[in-house]
């Protein structure tokens, strides 16, 4: 499982201009079953994605196709972890 943090590298006007394309890309990741949750950071300095069901190389390939990455709008930090404990109802995301 991965926690991905996006940090804007440009002003919000550029992020807003590319947001529709970014959200279409996010929708494709959900359709592929690899994104579990996503949203804006507070304050609005970027976003956060929870991803699973893929390896790091595949995740990196997918992140590189995000319009935010292609246009230099956001940088990405990826943290991999093993969910050893989860809340009731989320057992399917626990690994190992």
């Amino acid at each position: 499982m991965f926690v991905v943090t996006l940090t804007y590298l440009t002003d919000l006007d550029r992020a807003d201009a590319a947001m529709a394309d970014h959200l279409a890309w996010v929708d494709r990741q959900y359709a592929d079953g690899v994104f579990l949750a996503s949203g804006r950071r507070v304050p609005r300095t970027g976003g956060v994605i929870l991803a699973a069901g893929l390896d790091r190389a595949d995740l990196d390939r997918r992140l590189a196709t995000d319009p935010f990455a292609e246009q230099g709008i956001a940088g990405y930090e990826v943290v991999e972890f093993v969910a050893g404990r989860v809340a009731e109802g989320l057992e399917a995301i626990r690994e190992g």
Side-chain angles (χ1 to χ4, degrees), residues 2 52-62 80:
F2 301 92
L54 72 171
D55 62 27
R56 176 64 189 264
D58 187 16
L59 177 61
D60 288 342
R61 280 190 294 275
R62 289 171 184 268
E80 184 173 6

Side-chain angles (χ1 to χ4, degrees), residues 2-80:
F2 301 92
V3 176
V4 181
T5 55
L6 287 72
T7 302
Y8 293 139
L9 304 174
T10 64
D11 59 43
L12 287 177
D13 290 339
R14 283 204 50 211
D16 288 340
M19 189 62 68
D21 291 337
H22 168 72
L23 292 177
W25 171 82
V26 168
D27 288 344
R28 287 191 299 276
Q29 309 318 306
Y30 277 105
D32 288 348
V34 298
F35 281 11
L36 304 176
S38 61
R40 292 181 176 176
R41 289 168 58 178
V42 177
R44 190 173 171 213
T45 58
V48 178
I49 298 166
L50 184 60
L54 72 171
D55 62 27
R56 176 64 189 264
D58 187 16
L59 177 61
D60 288 342
R61 280 190 294 275
R62 289 171 184 268
L63 294 175
T65 67
D66 179 358
F68 280 1
E70 293 174 334
Q71 297 176 39
I73 293 169
Y76 304 78
E77 180 181 354
V78 178
V79 175
E80 184 173 6

